[in-house]
Amino acid sequence: MMSPKQISDDRGSSHFRHTPFQIIHVIGNFFRIWSVYSMYRYLNQTGAPVVLFLFCCLVPSSFIFLILQKPWKGRPLSNQQIVPSLINGVITALYFILWGKGLKSCGPLRAILSEYSGAVLGVLSGVLYGRRGQVWKKVGGLVAMLVALFFLSQGWATSSLSPFSSKDSNDTKEEELVTEQALGLMGMMIPVVAGILSALRRVIARRVSLKNQQKKRLHAITITSATCFLFPLAMWDLVTGSSSGKAVELPFSAWAFLATIVFGIILIFYVDNIAEERLHMVFSSPRHLMVAGACIIVMEIAYEMDFSLPGFIVCCLVLGFGIYEATSLERSKKDSSIKSEDGPNGILGNDFDTSPVLPI
């Protein structure tokens, strides 16, 4: 039987071993959110079509994934894995389209936080299929997330609309800004649906890949499938734009394209994979939201956005509480399984499967 001192030493050494992975996770998410702000500024300043821009970013990304993973080599993949991955590519393409549209209409802060509301999928599945004793927690989490979305839609995270701001809104220009930013809940539906699709594609990826290496190979197929699906939509934008007499232009911006390709599509996949495998931290967990929130604060200040720190913190706290309550049952199940497998090192598994997944 291990003494309390040995257990504390093991926990300390386990935390120390995972520190490099935690640093990688923070840096990777910082660059991903940086790419989101770069993409938002590029789309707003140039007026470039969202679908065409995303297609131009996915083409080189799919080639890079195929070169890195080589899904045609190694142990052959079964049809039970390839077919769902191709279907997942369609879902991924729809996710990118809605994500880009939501980013352009709602701004990066609300679009990023709305993506975390993909945990609504897990809440609804928990209400329908979960244990009776945990339904009230699921409903409470759902209500908290809806409240957070309402606060975001009303502009609580913006200095011009936040109830915590002391700015005078009598100026005419400021009133025009308020009218533009007060979206309402319906205006938030596009990034919310994108968040649900993001959760769904992660669920499918977990279901069809039993091993980490298979997951990477299947992801290359998924991104390639998404690129193929976006091709006719991008061409349609070109055709309809030219037929309407408007010149469809896609001005080149090295940083916007490179940041989206390298950080927003490629690097973030490997970073999230490391976080899931090594830190037992998945997307839409409270810890993941905390890291993203810190990165958003830095970017909002750096890009001189219309930002209210107190209002943003309130929105993040309410959203994080909703996610925490909505995933309480799945988290407790995974905690017990991780502790039984890893012994005292299981302390790092507190957020292992808090992602919005349907019950197995």
Side-chain angles (χ1 to χ4, degrees), residues 26 35 83 86 121-123 159 182 205-206 229 266 270 282 302 309 330 357:
V26 172
S35 71
V83 174
L86 294 175
L121 181 64
V123 174
S159 61
R206 292 193 189 103
F229 181 77
I266 298 175
Y270 293 104
V282 292
L309 181 59
E330 288 80 6
V357 298

Side-chain angles (χ1 to χ4, degrees), residues 14 33 36 47 62 75 92 97 116 137 150 152 162 165 167 197 205 216 258 270 302 324 342 360:
S14 180
I33 291 176
V36 171
S62 61
R75 186 176 181 179
T92 302
I97 293 173
Y116 282 90
K137 282 194 173 184
F150 175 76
L152 288 170
S162 174
S165 177
K167 281 189 174 183
L197 289 177
K216 294 177 181 178
L258 286 176
Y270 293 104
Y324 182 86
D342 297 338
I360 300 176

Side-chain angles (χ1 to χ4, degrees), residues 116-286:
Y116 282 90
S117 68
V120 171
L121 181 64
V123 174
L124 294 178
S125 67
V127 171
L128 293 176
Y129 303 105
R131 295 178 181 177
R132 293 290 180 181
Q134 298 289 338
V135 170
W136 66 273
K137 282 194 173 184
K138 303 287 185 179
V139 174
L142 174 60
V143 171
M145 282 186 286
L146 290 177
V147 170
L149 288 175
F150 175 76
F151 289 162
L152 288 170
S153 67
Q154 296 303 309
W156 277 38
T158 60
S159 61
S160 56
L161 290 172
S162 174
F164 305 100
S165 177
S166 59
K167 281 189 174 183
D168 185 11
S169 58
N170 293 327
D171 187 74
T172 305
K173 293 183 179 179
E174 208 167 296
E175 289 179 358
E176 293 176 357
L177 183 63
V178 169
T179 303
E180 180 183 354
Q181 290 183 342
L183 297 175
L185 279 177
M186 292 305 297
M188 299 283 292
M189 283 300 104
I190 293 179
V192 167
V193 175
I196 295 175
L197 289 177
S198 175
L200 181 59
R201 69 191 181 98
R202 293 170 192 273
V203 170
I204 296 176
R206 292 193 189 103
R207 292 293 187 270
V208 299
S209 58
L210 301 177
K211 296 181 180 180
N212 189 33
Q213 190 59 36
Q214 286 181 334
K215 182 179 179 180
K216 294 177 181 178
R217 295 169 66 192
L218 292 172
H219 184 74
I221 297 175
T222 297
I223 293 297
T224 305
S225 173
T227 306
C228 296
F229 181 77
L230 276 183
F231 174 74
L233 300 179
M235 295 303 101
W236 177 258
D237 273 357
L238 284 175
V239 172
T240 55
S242 58
S243 61
S244 62
K246 297 180 181 178
V248 179
E249 297 182 357
L250 192 66
F252 180 74
S253 172
W255 172 246
F257 280 93
L258 286 176
T260 304
I261 294 169
V262 177
F263 303 132
I265 300 177
I266 298 175
L267 180 64
I268 193 60
F269 168 73
Y270 293 104
V271 169
D272 282 347
N273 194 57
I274 290 174
E276 184 173 346
E277 295 294 325
R278 301 291 184 175
L279 303 176
H280 306 303
M281 184 198 310
V282 292
F283 191 80
S284 290
S285 66

